[in-house]
Amino acid sequence: MNLRTLKLEDAPLMLEWMHDRDVTADLKADFASKTLEDAEAFINHSIQMLDGNTDRSGNSDVHLAIVSDEDEYMGTVSLKHITETDAEFGITVRKVAMSHGYSWYGMKAIIDKAFEEYGLESVYWCVSRENERAVRFYDKHNFHEAYDIPKSVLNRYEGMDNLKWYSVLKGDEIDVRDTVAGCKIVRIKTIPTVNAGELSFFEATKEIPFEIKRIYYITKVPEGVRRGFHAHKKLKQLLFCPYGRIQLVLENKYGREEVELSDPSVGVVIEEPTWREMLWLQKDSVLCVAASDFYEVEDYIRDYNEFKDFINDEVKN
């Protein structure tokens, strides 16, 4: 799969999805009336946009083709109404491309481009709540529902009700694995507001599978310093990084793995004896921990060899 500039030879396949009711049923525009000439005009316009031109309203849009390894056009992914800080995301793929990873690839690639190439701070979009396929897709990939959408954005959708808005901010991780060394990686509930940051929260025994009795945080650590070097016999914890970048190294009976914590909405739940080491990748990064019990020195294992013996005994039993 790749992203590339749209080409005129993509027009017939673009027209294919425009006339496919299964694809366009919940989309805003009237695609059924489009012609091959309309598709070609859109492609020519998108090429002009990439050359640095703007449309009559002064907006700069980016439309790219999602293609197969054989360079067959599979759909179009867009950044629209681009400003210095944000843009609206859009994507449409042909029916033959659905459920084959093209939508996810195109979305991730264009969002990466928005943050890394165009230097934007946020990307937002909306779908009809009746578009169950799209809502299921975005919810499955843990995108946050956005609120307090600017009026200037809502005006583009005047007359359309029951919309569900999403947003992703620069620094958010959008391709998070499920586990690290057998420990569950969790998405902390997060509510973004376009151009006004995010609010994240979690509740004991709901998102977090234990009662919280203690919360602590580690701050003012220089870059390159390692901390941790211990395990717990019974304590359960949620670890997350609300600011900065921290590499978390975990080892238990499932093996030894590492994961970078850099998104405030992503955390790791440790529920069994696990050796942990934390490397500060950025000065003044913050590590927060929610724990299932009060501080007990007897629960710590601070010697690595003792830890190995402890988990070996657990496996045998």
Side-chain angles (χ1 to χ4, degrees):
M1 300 180 191
N2 290 292
L3 287 191
R4 63 157 169 78
T5 303
L6 285 163
K7 301 176 181 178
L8 280 177
E9 50 262 41
D10 296 330
L13 293 179
M14 181 180 290
L15 190 67
E16 172 194 300
W17 69 251
M18 288 181 173
H19 288 179
D20 189 335
R21 184 62 181 169
D22 289 338
V23 175
T24 63
D26 295 299
L27 300 183
K28 176 184 176 184
D30 174 23
F31 289 104
S33 64
K34 301 297 183 183
T35 65
L36 183 63
E37 289 73 23
D38 291 326
E40 291 174 341
F42 176 86
I43 291 171
N44 282 325
H45 180 70
S46 74
I47 295 172
Q48 294 175 6
M49 292 292 100
L50 289 176
D51 288 339
N53 298 316
T54 58
D55 62 22
R56 292 178 182 177
S57 65
N59 288 317
S60 176
D61 297 344
V62 173
H63 306 285
L64 297 173
I66 310 167
V67 298
S68 68
D69 292 337
E70 293 75 30
D71 201 44
E72 179 182 353
Y73 170 87
M74 290 295 175
T76 303
V77 64
S78 306
L79 292 174
K80 302 176 290 184
H81 308 288
I82 301 174
T83 71
E84 292 183 356
T85 59
D86 57 66
E88 182 176 349
F89 159 79
I91 189 169
T92 311
V93 298
R94 296 165 56 201
K95 192 172 182 178
V96 297
M98 293 179 180
S99 302
H100 293 285
Y102 287 98
S103 294
W104 177 239
Y105 173 83
M107 183 173 197
K108 188 174 184 304
I110 199 74
I111 288 176
D112 287 344
K113 187 180 288 288
F115 296 141
E116 297 172 9
E117 185 173 332
Y118 300 125
L120 303 183
E121 295 297 325
S122 65
V123 175
Y124 58 89
W125 66 96
C126 69
V127 294
S128 168
R129 291 184 185 274
E130 297 175 1
N131 188 346
E132 296 180 0
R133 181 177 61 205
V135 170
R136 187 166 56 248
F137 173 81
Y138 296 129
D139 289 349
K140 179 183 74 173
H141 288 290
N142 295 302
F143 288 105
H144 307 310
E145 184 173 0
Y147 300 90
D148 297 327
I149 309 302
K151 188 174 181 179
S152 59
V153 175
L154 292 176
N155 286 341
R156 300 179 203 144
Y157 293 86
E158 187 175 2
M160 296 187 67
D161 300 320
N162 205 26
L163 297 177
K164 186 170 184 178
W165 288 87
Y166 294 89
S167 176
V168 58
L169 303 189
K170 186 175 183 178
D172 286 351
E173 295 185 40
I174 62 172
D175 193 12
V176 181
R177 61 194 197 216
D178 295 329
T179 63
V180 53
C183 299
K184 187 178 180 180
I185 297 177
V186 297
R187 284 281 189 172
I188 298 169
K189 283 188 175 180
T190 297
I191 300 173
T193 299
V194 174
N195 293 332
E198 296 177 331
L199 182 152
S200 297
F201 67 95
F202 54 87
E203 298 173 301
T205 71
K206 290 186 178 180
E207 295 80 24
I208 309 307
F210 53 81
E211 192 69 51
I212 297 171
K213 292 187 178 180
R214 180 166 55 107
I215 295 176
Y216 64 90
Y217 43 91
I218 303 171
T219 63
K220 301 180 182 179
V221 179
E223 181 179 331
V225 169
R226 287 182 178 270
R227 291 183 57 110
F229 302 103
H230 66 267
H232 291 282
K233 299 173 184 177
K234 297 181 180 180
L235 190 71
K236 300 176 182 180
Q237 295 177 312
L238 164 70
L239 285 71
F240 62 100
C241 175
Y243 173 78
R245 296 171 55 230
I246 297 172
Q247 183 185 56
L248 181 62
V249 182
L250 300 178
E251 181 179 351
N252 51 34
K253 65 184 180 183
Y254 296 105
R256 184 180 177 94
E257 288 189 291
E258 60 187 49
V259 64
E260 181 178 314
L261 297 179
S262 57
D263 184 340
S265 68
V266 176
V268 177
V269 173
I270 302 176
E271 297 187 85
E272 61 180 271
T274 300
W275 187 263
R276 77 285 312 276
E277 300 172 15
M278 295 84 77
L279 171 63
W280 261 247
L281 300 175
Q282 179 181 318
K283 179 183 177 183
D284 289 338
S285 297
V286 178
L287 180 68
C288 286
V289 181
S292 65
D293 212 339
F294 304 117
Y295 175 80
E296 292 184 7
V297 66
E298 296 81 7
D299 188 63
Y300 280 77
I301 304 175
R302 298 189 182 276
D303 181 88
Y304 180 74
N305 291 326
E306 181 184 343
F307 162 74
K308 295 290 287 186
D309 291 339
F310 184 87
I311 60 172
N312 287 337
D313 290 340
E314 277 206 331
V315 171
K316 291 177 184 178
N317 295 331

